[in-house]
């Protein structure tokens, strides 16, 4: 039997041989994230809502308004825009966006990207290129003709309605323009009441996201920059152009509403045509929020109202881009609720007096 010293020597030799013949596995450098433009078209639309080609157009359009790369560690325009699109599409918190399979950036970096891209989209050179109400009679006739061809409703140049976008309760800082409680809407949560006007293709021609959730639709309309335009159009003799709105709006010759308690067959027929045509704006609201889920009620925008307004404007621009380029809605959307934040406000006792009301009744009865 070998003594202890012999065994110790054999063990030492064996251990030395193991160390000599041990070859560590080379470290494999696996990238944790992938190039977004290398995934399939359907996957790209599902993640960013825009197609690859449209995303590249957007990047090129926003590049002059984004901060240039000053250092190699700075994010480029492509990354900034894709990070913002990811947030708009999902409504996730900033940390998951930064740690997605496409990016590896910190939460502060995501915040800076979102702020920068949102500001670029709100630049007037970009915003008014994609969101614009018809500015002349030729454009108005085109919109009116498209409505008539699609719905059979004569004279309609747009459908108007409001939708609520949920936000976190604003700070009670007295320096804020509006007190916190004024953002609480009829359903008891904080929101911004957003007025939208769309055409027959669901493209948004005007957006007004400046008013707190407690503001009613009629007040927002009375302070809209479109209201004096359509009124002046009528006053100048162009009487065949009007918007369609629900009972929350005052009846005017340039804004037709449903007939309360219709009696005759003609009144019932008018209400049926009015409802079917005005359903376009409800579809528009739904498509906008399905496409950009950061606007959904249960997601909540965790930003100051002013920043939330800019995000709403940004999503409106992107929605119009998708409509213009026929980008399909992503499939397998698993919305947890059907309430898109669309409120059907009815104010049967709204004061409707004077010459404009009488003329509005004449126009409505002629339909």
């Amino acid at each position: 039997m070998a003594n202890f010293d012999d065994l110790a020597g054999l063990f030492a030799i064996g251990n030395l041989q193991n160390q000599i013949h041990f070859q560590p596995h080379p470290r494999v450098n696996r990238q944790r994230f992938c190039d977004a433009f290398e995934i399939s078209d359907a996957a790209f639309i599902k993640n960013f809502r825009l197609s690859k080609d449209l995303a590249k157009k957007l990047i090129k359009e926003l590049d002059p308004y984004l901060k240039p790369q000053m250092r190699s560690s700075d994010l480029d325009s492509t990354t900034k825009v894709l990070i913002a699109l990811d947030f708009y599409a999902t409504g996730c918190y900033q940390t998951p966006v930064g740690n997605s399979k496409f990016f590896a950036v910190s939460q502060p970096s995501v915040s800076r990207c979102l702020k920068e891209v949102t500001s670029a989209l709100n630049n007037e050179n970009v915003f008014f290129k994609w969101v614009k109400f018809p500015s002349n009679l030729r454009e108005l006739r085109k919109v009116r003709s498209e409505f008539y061809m699609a719905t059979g409703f004569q004279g309609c140049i747009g459908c108007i309605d409001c939708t609520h976008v949920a936000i976190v309760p604003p700070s009670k800082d007295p320096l804020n323009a509006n007190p916190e409680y004024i953002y609480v809407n009829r359903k008891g949560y904080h929101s911004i009441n957003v007025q939208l006007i769309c055409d027959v293709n669901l493209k948004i021609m005007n957006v007004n996201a400046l008013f707190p959730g407690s503001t009613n639709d009629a007040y927002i309309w009375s302070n809209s920059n479109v209201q004096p335009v359509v009124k002046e159009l009528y006053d100048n003799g162009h009487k065949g152009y009007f918007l369609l709105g629900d009972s929350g709006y005052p009846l005017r010759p340039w804004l037709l509403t449903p007939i309360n308690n219709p009696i005759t067959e003609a009144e019932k027929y008018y209400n049926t045509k009015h409802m079917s045509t005005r359903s376009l704006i409800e579809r528009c609201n739904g498509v906008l929020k399905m496409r950009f889920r950061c606007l959904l009620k249960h997601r909540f925008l965790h930003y100051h109202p002013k920043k939330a307004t800019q995000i709403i404007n940004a999503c409106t621009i992107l929605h119009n881009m998708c409509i213009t380029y026929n980008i399909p809605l992503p499939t397998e959307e698993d919305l947890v609720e059907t309430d898109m934040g669309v409120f059907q406000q009815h104010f049967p006792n709204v004061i409707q007096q004077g010459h404009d009301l009488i003329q509005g009744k004449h126009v409505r009865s002629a339909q």
Side-chain angles (χ1 to χ4, degrees), residues 9 15 29 48 65 68 71 76 99 114 138 143 173 179 182 187 228 239 274 309 316 324 326 333 335 343 345 349:
N15 188 48
N29 184 21
F48 304 105
Y65 310 105
R71 299 174 298 179
D76 59 4
N99 292 325
L114 182 60
R138 180 182 60 81
V143 173
D173 188 335
I182 203 172
K187 289 198 172 182
K239 303 183 183 302
H274 185 286
T309 292
T316 300
T324 300
N326 298 313
E333 289 294 337
L335 293 178
F343 290 137
Q345 300 190 54
N349 296 322

Side-chain angles (χ1 to χ4, degrees), residues 83 87 92-99 105-112 114 302-303 307:
I83 285 175
F87 172 83
C92 290
Y93 289 105
Q94 294 177 357
T95 298
V97 171
N99 292 325
V105 298
S106 64
Q107 181 273 327
S109 295
V110 174
S111 180
R112 286 191 293 270
L114 182 60
H302 290 251
Y303 300 96
K307 179 69 172 292

